[in-house]
Each structure stands twice: as structure tokens, then as C-alpha cells.
Amino acid sequence: MLSVAIVGGLHSEARTAAVERLLTTVPGCVALHHDLTAAAERGTVTRTVRDATGVLSTDETPLVNDCACCALREDLVPELERLADAGLTRLAVVELWDSVEPKAMAEVVAAAGLTVGSVITAVDPALLLPYLGNGDDLKEAGLAAAATDQRTVADTWARQLEYAPVLAVLDGPDADDEDRALLAQLHPTARRVPLPDGDLAAAALAGFDVEAAAAAQHPACALLPQEADAHGVGTYVWHRRRPFHPERLYAALEDLCCAAARSRGRFWLADRPDTLLAWDAAGGALCVEPTGPWLASLPDAAWEMVPPVRRAAAALDWDPEHGDRCQHLVFTSPGLDREGLAELLDSCLLTDAEYAAGREAWKRLPPAFDALLEV
């Protein structure tokens, strides 16, 4: 039975090393790669299939809707199904092009009824912080997957890193203890396999639950990093119940975004007490977006429509007054100023007098986030 391992990441040398390791250690293994580098100019995407001995085939597939990633999705599944039907391939390694994110590809493969064995992100620890701090648009870096691609290098890299349960780590001479500590704190639950000699084969065939992985990325139940401090790298967890004053938080956003290499979590605003807001910052840029209601704002009958993992996460952090509404933000960075962060974040909460005024008064506060949330 064919198993599919998805290998991605912006660190191309590490990614190549991971794929080569799988090709040489898993019998009956082939790798598929769609090169999107010149897709916009040529109007096609180049697909290469190879095994440990070399290239088996090369072909061109046309762009779909002027989107290289769309062409990849349209071409990938039929090619994987062909390999499955032939019955000669044990493991198909899908080597993603630089900026392609593994979540979308894993969901495409699983939706076709194929078995996803694992999702692996390849990492060079020495490049971790430079990429995480790179706020350039993918277009500027020549890494955009479509003309409409508005992602940055930093936020794309953060998602690639945090989605994968397995990290293939090419730890070269340029990496130091600070780099390794940053990697460990950004994704503490990941299985880290050293390259070039680690047992990546076992990780690639371990099995992967696409639905559970998606749930683990939702800000309401994401397994965020815990407090940590090692080799000059710190992770600070800030958890409060009181809502933010929208104007004061908005005024502090620039300082908060620049306070850490990476920050994420969930929060609530006093003027939007029923909306769960996601916080996602990297490279000095912040993405804030509504992700649905807090469970405490829903009628009991609606809870049956909520995934069990979401209900379980809410129950673990339930407050008698506010339910699952909370501020839960996590900041990870070298040289982290915990006291400064705590002081700034606390200053953005409602004061005692504002809090005592009650929810109807909160809703009349100036809606400072309307433009950011595209209301």
C-alpha cells in the first residue's frame, strides 16, 4: 500500500538532504517535485519523478487559474494514484517547492483517499532566525506561488515549521546553541531527526492525522509553547482573563510585534466580547483575524456542532465568569524582555473602572480594530 510523505520548508538544502535520506533508506521509494520557479513566465510547472538511482521522468503541466499551486494540486493526485495503482512504490515523497505550505497539500492528498505517512519540515537551525525575521513579501524574494500571493517569508516559514510533527534538522557548523534552543522552543512537541544520518524513514511512515493536525492549528486549541529559557532564548506565556481596551492595544501593536521573533495565540477585545481573535506575528508583521465565536457565547445546543477537541480545550481553561474567553499570547525570541512585555500587555487591558462599567459600556468603546479586521 502506498504511503505519502510530504517534505517541505524554505531551507532548500535541508529539504534536499531530507529527500535524499528517504530515497536511500526506504526500499521502493520515489520522490515527486513540482518546480514552480519559472511557472509565471512559461505558463507551466515542471514535474520531476526520481528514485535513488536518478530521474525517472520529467513532464510539464499547465498553470491552472494563473496559480502554480493550483497546477500542483491538479497534477499531484493523479500522479500519486498512478504510483499506487502500479503497486511498485512503498513510499512517495512529495518534495514541496520552497514556499508551498504542507497543510494544503496534506489535505489534498488525504481528500483523495491516499495515506499520508507524515509531514516533515526540513530545517537548517542557522537559518531559522534570519528567515523568521524576514518580513519581505514572497514576491520580492522570488518565492510567490501565484500572482496574488501576499504572504511574507517570515509568516510562511513559521507555518511550515509549526504544522509538521517531524523536523528534519541539518545541523551544520554555522548553527549554535541559541539556534537550537530557538528551534526547540518554537516547536517543542516536534520529533527532531538529525540529517544526514537520522532515522527519517521511521518518521516518514509513522502515520499522520490530517484532521487532528488542522485542529491543532486552530487558535482556540493550539498546543502553544510553554515557558522556557535556555541559551539566551526565552518563551513567555501571557495569560489573562480581562479583555483588552481596543484603542490601547491598537496603539501598542508595533511595539508588541517587534518584541519577539515569533508570537501567536488568541485574545479578546472588550468591544467584541463574542469574537475569538487570532494573533499571529513574525518578521515584525502581525496578522489578526476573527476565527469564530468563543464557546461561551454559543447556546448549549450549538456545542454539539463544535469539534470535541475544541470543547475539551475550552473545558481545561474555563472561567466561571468569562467561560473560554481569555488572553493567551506566547512570545519566543532571543533576548526576550519578559517584564517589559508583561507591563505593556497589562497596560492594554481594561482598567478596574472600565471593567466595572460592564459589557454594554465595553461595546461602546472606540472600535479601533475595524480597519485591521476589514469590517
Side-chain angles (χ1 to χ4, degrees):
M1 180 178 177
L2 179 70
S3 185
V4 180
I6 296 173
V7 179
L10 282 166
H11 299 171
S12 58
E13 289 189 16
R15 195 179 66 234
T16 299
V19 174
E20 291 299 328
R21 179 64 177 167
L22 290 172
L23 287 175
T24 56
T25 56
V26 180
C29 177
V30 301
L32 298 86
H33 177 61
H34 289 76
D35 189 346
L36 314 185
T37 305
E41 292 79 9
R42 294 200 312 263
T44 60
V45 173
T46 303
R47 184 224 311 135
T48 302
V49 180
R50 60 193 176 99
D51 64 10
T53 66
V55 175
L56 301 176
S57 67
T58 301
D59 206 350
E60 302 282 327
T61 186
L63 284 183
V64 177
N65 301 322
D66 291 325
C67 170
C69 274
C70 300
L72 191 165
R73 285 192 290 266
E74 291 290 324
D75 185 71
L76 178 61
V77 168
E79 189 65 16
L80 290 173
E81 290 176 336
R82 182 188 68 78
L83 291 172
D85 291 342
L88 301 176
T89 303
R90 179 188 180 195
L91 178 68
V93 179
V94 177
E95 181 190 352
L96 300 180
W97 188 71
D98 294 356
S99 69
V100 177
E101 295 186 28
K103 181 176 184 292
M105 291 303 109
E107 291 173 352
V108 166
V109 172
L114 295 161
T115 299
V116 181
S118 187
V119 173
I120 301 165
T121 293
V123 184
D124 179 344
L127 298 177
L128 180 56
L129 187 58
Y131 276 63
L132 203 57
N134 189 340
D136 290 346
D137 291 339
L138 290 176
K139 288 182 184 178
E140 297 174 11
L143 296 170
T148 56
D149 200 335
Q150 297 181 335
R151 296 173 297 157
T152 69
V153 172
D155 65 44
T156 301
W157 171 237
R159 284 190 295 271
Q160 289 177 333
L161 180 74
E162 292 158 1
Y163 179 75
V166 178
L167 302 179
V169 183
L170 187 63
D171 197 341
D174 293 332
D176 58 22
D177 288 340
E178 179 182 284
D179 298 322
R180 299 180 192 100
L182 180 60
L183 180 61
Q185 292 182 35
L186 285 170
H187 197 347
T189 62
R191 177 178 179 180
R192 293 189 291 278
V193 180
L195 293 173
D197 300 324
D199 187 7
L200 199 57
L205 295 164
F208 182 79
D209 188 327
V210 170
E211 291 186 5
Q217 296 301 304
H218 192 285
C221 45
L223 294 175
L224 298 173
Q226 302 297 306
E227 286 274 349
D229 193 355
H231 301 290
V233 179
T235 293
Y236 173 58
V237 179
W238 185 77
H239 190 281
R240 302 287 189 271
R241 288 293 175 182
R242 187 171 293 196
F244 278 123
H245 187 287
E247 279 190 321
R248 288 200 293 275
L249 178 61
Y250 191 84
L253 289 182
E254 184 174 352
D255 289 339
L256 290 170
C257 288
C258 297
R262 176 71 170 139
S263 59
R264 55 192 176 120
R266 57 189 181 273
F267 69 103
W268 66 305
L269 295 170
D271 63 324
R272 298 168 176 267
D274 295 334
T275 303
L276 191 162
L277 295 165
W279 176 289
D280 194 298
L286 171 68
C287 176
V288 169
E289 59 183 357
T291 58
W294 294 100
L295 294 193
S297 70
L298 297 176
D300 292 346
W303 279 50
E304 294 301 318
M305 302 171 64
V306 177
V309 65
R310 171 81 188 276
R311 297 199 300 269
L316 289 171
D317 195 28
W318 195 261
D319 178 78
E321 182 178 1
H322 297 303
D324 57 331
R325 297 180 184 91
C326 70
Q327 320 291 7
H328 188 172
L329 301 178
V330 177
F331 299 80
T332 299
S333 187
L336 196 68
D337 180 6
R338 284 180 167 83
E339 292 183 2
L341 266 172
E343 182 178 351
L344 180 56
L345 287 163
D346 286 342
S347 73
C348 297
L349 297 173
L350 294 186
T351 65
D352 290 346
E354 290 164 343
Y355 183 77
R359 291 193 182 184
E360 291 306 312
W362 302 350
K363 292 179 181 180
R364 294 192 294 270
L365 291 170
F369 276 76
D370 278 5
L372 193 59
L373 294 171
E374 298 180 344
V375 173

